[in-house]
C-alpha cells in the first residue's frame, strides 16, 4: 500500500466533510480555462484520490464556450500569447479578461514598462475577482514588490482557496513558517494544510512536514502527491530505505511516472545501486526523454559510472528544458568539482542559490569548492549559510570544524565546538568523535581525549567498522591508562591491538611487556616487609 501511516495523536480533519470529487473537478476546470495548468493538475489529482460521488444533480451547469474564447485558449496553449490577447480584445466577462491579461503578463516578462502598465490595469479588477488578484500578485513579485504581493495573494486565496498556484506564489515570498500567523488565510481549509506541509519541507522542518502529510493521507488515501512528498521528507531526513520504498510504491502504481523520480535517482546514487539506477535511467529516457527529470536521472547514472563529462552533458540538457531546475544546477556543480574545475563548479552552485536561496546543498557545495581551493575563510562563510538552513545536520558542523582546523585558521577551540554540535546531532559517519579525540589530544587534554576515544571505540565495535580509527583509539587508550596507573584496562586495550597486523601489533607487544613489568613491580613486596615509600 502507498498509504502513509497516520499518527494516533493527530486529530481527524473535518475539511473533507465539505468537499467532494465533483467540486474539486469543477474547480480544476475553472483553473484550466484560465491557463493555470499546474494548479488545475494539482486539484485534479486530489479529486481522483477521493471516492467517486454518488450520482446527483450537477452543482454548476456547463457554460457554453464562446468560439473566440476557444480560439484564444488554443493560442495560449501554443504559447502564442499576443494572438491570444488579440482574440479576446473585445471580451468583457471575467474568465476571458483573465486569460487575456494572463497572456499579456507572460508576454511581458522581462519588459518592465509593459509589466507596469498591466499592473495598473489589474488594480481595480483584483478587488472583485480571485484570479485577477492572483495575476496581479505575480506581476508584483516580478517587480519585487513582495509585501504588496502577499496582500494580493491573501485576497486571492481567501476567495478561491483551491488555486494551488496562488499558494505556491505565496511560498516564494514568505520568509519563514512563522510569518503565516500574520497572514489572513483560510487556515481551516485543507489547502492550508498542504501549504503548511510544503513550507515545512522548504524550511527543513521535516518532522512537522511528515506529521502533516500523515494527517492528509487519511483525507486523501490515494493521493500520489502526498506519498511523493512523504518520500521527499524521508529523503531529506536521510531515511533512504523508507524513501526508496515509497518511491517504488509510486512506480508500481504508475510505471510511467516521472515526477519525483529525480530524487529517487539521488537515493539510488547514494546507495550505489548500479542495476536499479541503470533500469530507472533507461526507462526514463524511453518514456519521457525530453523532460528535465529524465535528463537528471541519466546524469546521475553516468556520474555513478564515473563518466563525469557525460553527466554534465545531461544536466545541461535538463537546464535547457528548465533553466530554473534547482537539482540540475547543484548536481552539475558536484560534477565540475569531480572534474577539478572549481570556477565552473562555483558558477553552477551560485546559479542554484539564485534559483533557491533556501537550498542548503548549493551553499554546502560552494563551501566544499572553496575548501578545495584552500580558501577556508570563504568556505567557512558558505558552510555557515548551509548550517543556518540545516542546523541539525551533522555534516554541516563537521565541515565547519574542518575549516577551523585548517592551518590558515588554526582555531582548535572553535573546531571542538563545531564537532560537539555534530556529535549531538547524530553524526552517522563518526567523524566528530574521532576529530574531538584528536583535537583534545593535540591540546594535551588527555582525559577529554580518552573520553571521546572510548566513545568512538564503542561506535566502531557496534557498527563493526574497519579502518585506522580503531587502532589509533586503542593505542592512545592503552598508553593513557598505563600513564594513569589503570594497568588492567591498559592490558585489555593492548590485547585487542594484537588482533591487528603491522606496526600496531608490534607497538602493542612492547606496551604489553612494559605494563606487565609494572604489574610485577606492584606485586613485589618491599625488602624486609618494610614500608620504604617516601613522604615529603
Amino acid at each position: 500500500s502507498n498509504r502513509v501511516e497516520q499518527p494516533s495523536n493527530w486529530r481527524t480533519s473535518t475539511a473533507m466533510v465539505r468537499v467532494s470529487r465533483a467540486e474539486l473537478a469543477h474547480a480544476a476546470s475553472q483553473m484550466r480555462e484560465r491557463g493555470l495548468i499546474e494548479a488545475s493538475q494539482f486539484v485534479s489529482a486530489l479529486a481522483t484520490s477521493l471516492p467517486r460521488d454518488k450520482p446527483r444533480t450537477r452543482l454548476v451547469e456547463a457554460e457554453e464556450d464562446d468560439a473566440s474564447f476557444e480560439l484564444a485558449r488554443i493560442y495560449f496553449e501554443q504559447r502564442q500569447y499576443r494572438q491570444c490577447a488579440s482574440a479576446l480584445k473585445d471580451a468583457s466577462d471575467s474568465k476571458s479578461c483573465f486569460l487575456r491579461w494572463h497572456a499579456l503578463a507572460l508576454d511581458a516578462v522581462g519588459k518592465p514598462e509593459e509589466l507596469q502598465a498591466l499592473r495598473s490595469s489589474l488594480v481595480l479588477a483584483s478587488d472583485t475577482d480571485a484570479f485577477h488578484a492572483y495575476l496581479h500578485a505575480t506581476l508584483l513579485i516580478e517587480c519585487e514588490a513582495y509585501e504588496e504581493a502577499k496582500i494580493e495573494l491573501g485576497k486571492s486565496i481567501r476567495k478561491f482557496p483551491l488555486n494551488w498556484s496562488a499558494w505556491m506564489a505565496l511560498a516564494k515570498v514568505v520568509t519563514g513558517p512563522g510569518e503565516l500567523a500574520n497572514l489572513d488565510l483560510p487556515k481551516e481549509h485543507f489547502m492550508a494544510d498542504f501549504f503548511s506541509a510544503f513550507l515545512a519541507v522548504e524550511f527543513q522542518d521535516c518532522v512537522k512536514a511528515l506529521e502533516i502529510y500523515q494527517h492528509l493521507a487519511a483525507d486523501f488515501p490515494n493521493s500520489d502527491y502526498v506519498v511523493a512528498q512523504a518520500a521527499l521528507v524521508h529523503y531529506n531526513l536521510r531515511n533512504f530505505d523508507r524513501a526508496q520504498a515509497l518511491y517504488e510504491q509510486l512506480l508500481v502504481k504508475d510505471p510511467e511516472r516521472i515526477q519525483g523520480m529525480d530524487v529517487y535517482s539521488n537515493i539510488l546514487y547514494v546507495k550505489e545501486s548500479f542495476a536499479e539506477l541503470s533500469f530507472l535511467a533507461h526507462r526514463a529516457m524511453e518514456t519521457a526523454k525530453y523532460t528535465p527529470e529524465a535528463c537528471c536521472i541519466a546524469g546521475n547514472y553516468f556520474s555513478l559510472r564515473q563518466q563525469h563529462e557525460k553527466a554534465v552533458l545531461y544536466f545541461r540538457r535538463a537546464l535547457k528544458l528548465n533553466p530554473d531546475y534547482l537539482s540540475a544546477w547543484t548536481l552539475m556543480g558536484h560534477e565540475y568539482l569531480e572534474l577539478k574545475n572549481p570556477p565552473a563548479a562555483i558558477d553552477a552552485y551560485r546559479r542554484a542559490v539564485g534559483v533557491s536561496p533556501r537550498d542548503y546543498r548549493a551553499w554546502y557545495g560552494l563551501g566544499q569548492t572553496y575548501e578545495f581551493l584552500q580558501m577556508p575563510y570563504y568556505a567557512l562563510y558558505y558552510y555557515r549559510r548551509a548550517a543556518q538552513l540545516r542546523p541539525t545536520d551533522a555534516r554541516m558542523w563537521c565541515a565547519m570544524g574542518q575549516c577551523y582546523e585548517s592551518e590558515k585558521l588554526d582555531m582548535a577551540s572553535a573546531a571542538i565546538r563545531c564537532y560537539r554540535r555534530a556529535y549531538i546531532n547524530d553524526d552517522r559517519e563518526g567523524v566528530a568523535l574521532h576529530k574531538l579525540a584528536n583535537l583534545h589530544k593535540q591540546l594535551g587534554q588527555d582525559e577529554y581525549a580518552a573520553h571521546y576515544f572510548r566513545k568512538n571505540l564503542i561506535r566502531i565495535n557496534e557498527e563493526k567498522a574497519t579502518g585506522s580509527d580503531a587502532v589509533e583509539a586503542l593505542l592512545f587508550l592503552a598508553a593513557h591508562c598505563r600513564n594513569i596507573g589503570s594497568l588492567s584496562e591498559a592490558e585489555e586495550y593492548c590485547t585487542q591491538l594484537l588482533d591487528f597486523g603491522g606496526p600496531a601489533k608490534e607497538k602493542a607487544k612492547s606496551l604489553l611487556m612494559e605494563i606487565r613489568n609494572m604489574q610485577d613491580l606492584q606485586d613485589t613486596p618491599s625488602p624486609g616487609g618494610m614500608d620504604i615509600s617516601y613522604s615529603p
Side-chain angles (χ1 to χ4, degrees):
S1 170
N2 64 351
R3 184 172 174 142
V4 185
E5 296 168 5
Q6 181 185 6
S8 57
N9 63 339
W10 195 282
R11 65 173 179 84
T12 303
S13 171
T14 59
M16 290 312 300
V17 176
R18 301 190 299 274
V19 70
S20 69
R21 185 180 177 120
E23 287 167 328
L24 290 178
H26 177 63
S29 175
Q30 286 182 286
M31 290 183 285
R32 185 183 180 280
E33 287 174 342
R34 290 165 172 80
L36 301 175
I37 306 302
E38 290 183 11
S40 177
Q41 181 185 11
F42 180 86
V43 173
S44 294
L46 287 185
T48 60
S49 74
L50 295 177
R52 291 188 178 276
D53 301 329
K54 294 177 181 178
R56 58 176 177 166
T57 305
R58 294 184 65 177
L59 293 171
V60 181
E61 292 299 322
E63 298 175 7
E64 287 192 20
D65 286 328
D66 185 89
S68 60
F69 181 82
E70 277 300 306
L71 177 62
R73 192 161 67 175
I74 291 167
Y75 280 137
F76 187 92
E77 290 173 355
Q78 292 176 339
R79 299 184 182 181
Q80 298 179 31
Y81 300 127
R82 285 196 175 274
Q83 290 91 324
C84 173
S86 178
L88 295 170
K89 63 180 181 297
D90 297 324
S92 58
D93 63 289
S94 174
K95 181 175 68 176
S96 298
C97 286
F98 175 86
L99 187 60
R100 180 173 180 270
W101 281 330
H102 192 185
L104 288 172
L106 292 173
D107 185 67
V109 171
K111 304 171 186 175
E113 291 181 3
E114 291 186 26
L115 283 173
Q116 188 61 43
L118 197 56
R119 274 181 60 186
S120 301
S121 302
L122 280 167
V123 169
L124 291 176
S126 67
D127 289 333
T128 57
D129 186 275
F131 294 107
H132 292 161
Y134 160 71
L135 186 55
H136 187 206
T138 62
L139 296 179
L140 289 168
I141 292 170
E142 189 73 23
C143 298
E144 299 184 0
Y146 299 131
E147 293 304 317
E148 293 177 63
K150 291 175 193 175
I151 295 169
E152 288 297 297
L153 287 168
K155 190 190 302 180
S156 174
I157 288 167
R158 286 193 299 275
K159 291 176 180 175
F160 195 90
L162 291 171
N163 184 1
W164 184 238
S165 292
W167 292 99
M168 289 296 92
L170 185 59
K172 292 179 182 178
V173 294
V174 296
T175 55
E179 195 176 343
L180 292 183
N182 302 322
L183 297 173
D184 186 9
L185 299 171
K187 297 180 177 64
E188 295 303 314
H189 199 281
F190 68 87
M191 290 293 281
D193 289 340
F194 278 103
F195 180 64
S196 295
F198 180 86
L199 267 195
V201 175
E202 281 282 291
F203 289 99
Q204 301 297 320
D205 191 352
C206 295
V207 174
K208 179 183 177 183
L210 197 58
E211 286 179 344
I212 299 173
Y213 283 127
Q214 286 170 339
H215 152 60
L216 287 167
D219 287 340
F220 297 90
N222 300 310
S223 171
D224 290 346
Y225 172 83
V226 172
V227 177
Q229 287 296 102
L232 177 62
V233 173
H234 281 294
Y235 168 71
N236 287 340
L237 287 168
R238 297 174 63 77
N239 298 334
F240 296 133
D241 291 340
R242 179 62 179 146
Q244 181 175 354
L246 289 172
Y247 280 122
E248 287 172 356
Q249 287 172 10
L250 287 170
L251 283 173
V252 168
K253 186 176 179 181
D254 179 10
E256 308 299 317
R257 183 183 179 88
I258 194 67
Q259 297 93 336
M261 291 302 109
D262 50 344
V263 179
Y264 178 43
S265 74
N266 292 342
I267 295 168
L268 298 178
Y269 179 92
V270 169
K271 296 178 77 172
E272 298 185 359
S273 302
F274 283 89
E276 291 89 342
L277 184 52
S278 173
F279 178 75
L280 180 67
H282 282 91
R283 183 168 59 183
M285 296 308 289
E286 284 175 4
T287 59
K289 185 176 182 179
Y290 299 107
T291 61
E293 291 87 352
C295 294
C296 189
I297 293 166
N300 272 336
Y301 167 69
F302 285 112
S303 180
L304 192 58
R305 294 185 60 183
Q306 303 299 312
Q307 294 178 275
H308 300 296
E309 293 88 351
K310 257 191 173 179
V312 168
L313 176 67
Y314 276 95
F315 291 135
R316 285 200 173 279
R317 286 182 184 176
L319 290 165
K320 282 183 181 178
L321 294 164
N322 180 4
D324 291 333
Y325 188 27
L326 177 63
S327 293
W329 284 118
T330 306
L331 293 172
M332 191 162 70
H334 296 344
E335 295 308 305
Y336 278 128
L337 203 52
E338 290 286 343
L339 291 167
K340 307 292 187 291
N341 187 347
I346 289 169
D347 180 63
Y349 288 134
R350 283 186 173 158
R351 294 291 292 271
V353 166
V355 173
S356 175
R358 300 170 186 167
D359 188 76
Y360 77 94
R361 295 173 184 87
W363 294 109
Y364 185 73
L366 281 166
Q368 285 183 308
T369 309
Y370 280 106
E371 190 175 10
F372 174 79
L373 292 170
Q374 297 182 349
M375 299 170 72
Y377 287 101
Y378 284 90
L380 189 58
Y381 168 78
Y382 290 114
Y383 284 142
R384 277 179 179 157
R385 292 297 298 265
Q388 285 169 359
L389 293 166
R390 291 271 290 194
T392 59
D393 193 326
R395 295 170 300 167
M396 310 300 115
W397 295 105
C398 284
M400 287 174 64
Q402 288 170 355
C403 284
Y404 283 122
E405 270 192 279
S406 65
E407 289 183 11
K408 291 183 179 178
L409 270 66
D410 192 22
M411 298 171 67
S413 297
I416 286 172
R417 288 196 295 273
C418 289
Y419 289 127
R420 281 179 182 163
R421 286 290 295 268
Y423 172 61
I424 290 168
N425 286 296
D426 187 26
D427 174 35
R428 299 182 186 182
E429 285 78 22
V431 172
L433 283 172
H434 183 71
K435 290 284 190 179
L436 282 166
N438 272 308
L439 282 167
H440 284 297
K441 176 183 169 184
Q442 290 167 20
L443 294 172
Q445 299 169 346
D446 286 358
E447 284 297 330
Y448 285 112
H451 170 75
Y452 288 112
F453 272 127
R454 285 191 184 97
K455 282 186 173 293
N456 199 30
L457 206 54
I458 292 168
R459 179 194 66 81
I460 290 168
N461 292 333
E462 286 177 350
E463 297 177 5
K464 297 180 181 177
T466 58
S468 60
D469 286 6
V471 173
E472 188 177 353
L474 288 167
L475 280 171
F476 176 86
L477 288 169
H480 174 69
C481 291
R482 176 203 61 189
N483 294 340
I484 63 173
S486 299
L487 300 181
S488 298
E489 191 178 353
E491 185 177 10
E492 184 182 334
Y493 291 129
C494 287
T495 304
Q496 291 180 50
L497 275 166
L498 294 175
D499 295 334
F500 296 87
K505 186 174 183 178
E506 298 305 314
K507 179 69 174 173
K509 286 180 180 178
S510 174
L511 275 171
L512 206 52
M513 287 180 61
E514 193 176 335
I515 289 163
R516 284 174 179 164
N517 287 336
M518 292 173 72
Q519 287 173 330
D520 290 342
L521 283 173
Q522 285 182 350
D523 294 339
T524 303
S526 303
M530 296 175 62
D531 182 4
I532 58 171
S533 60
Y534 174 72
S535 298

